[in-house]
Amino acid sequence: MKNRIVDHPVLGKLTAKKPIKFVFDNQEYLGFEGDTIASALLAYGIRTLRVHEASNEPRGIYCNIGHCFECRVTVDNQEGMRACLTPIENNMSIESGKVQAQPFKNKQPRTYADFKKNKAGDLDV
């Protein structure tokens, strides 16, 4: 985690955050509460999250605010989750490298939390 800021003047000290284990491409990593998938992976220097549908060129974090859809990953078998908006959860399984579903082709949940609500029948997407 050499790319991690451990003492931030606004966000505080990292040591005060709860550690969270997650799996990315079958390898276990450690993030911290408040991390998105994108920020947790970036702390490990992981920048490639998927490949482009037509060119197979690597894609990763671009806008980091949910507008561009470049950071789509598969989370617990749900394709098209945006890594920049989805908070990590304990034992979350994340996959990259696959050609992702086209945004807006089907009604997709915007975040993993929305996916879980929909799965429970609490959200109409």
Side-chain angles (χ1 to χ4, degrees), residues 81-96:
M81 297 290 107
R82 287 180 278 179
C84 69
L85 295 179
T86 304
I88 58 168
E89 294 182 5
N90 205 31
N91 299 317
M92 180 181 266
S93 178
I94 306 157
E95 296 175 43
S96 75

Side-chain angles (χ1 to χ4, degrees), residues 1 4-8 11-18 31-33 35:
M1 289 195 297
R4 174 78 66 180
I5 297 171
V6 295
D7 189 5
H8 191 276
L11 302 175
K13 294 186 183 293
L14 186 62
T15 55
K17 303 283 185 176
K18 176 183 169 190
F32 293 91
E33 67 180 340
D35 271 345

Side-chain angles (χ1 to χ4, degrees), residues 59-111:
R59 294 290 190 251
I61 304 164
Y62 183 69
C63 74
N64 206 32
I65 56 173
H67 287 274
C68 72
F69 291 86
E70 290 296 332
C71 65
R72 288 173 283 141
V73 293
T74 300
V75 179
D76 294 335
N77 296 314
Q78 177 64 35
E79 293 180 342
M81 297 290 107
R82 287 180 278 179
C84 69
L85 295 179
T86 304
I88 58 168
E89 294 182 5
N90 205 31
N91 299 317
M92 180 181 266
S93 178
I94 306 157
E95 296 175 43
S96 75
K98 297 180 179 177
V99 173
Q100 292 290 312
Q102 294 285 338
F104 307 119
K105 185 175 182 181
N106 299 317
K107 285 191 170 186
Q108 293 282 331
R110 295 178 60 87
T111 66

Side-chain angles (χ1 to χ4, degrees), residues 10 51 53 61 66 84 92 117:
V10 175
V51 295
E53 294 81 5
I61 304 164
C84 69
M92 180 181 266
K117 286 180 189 175

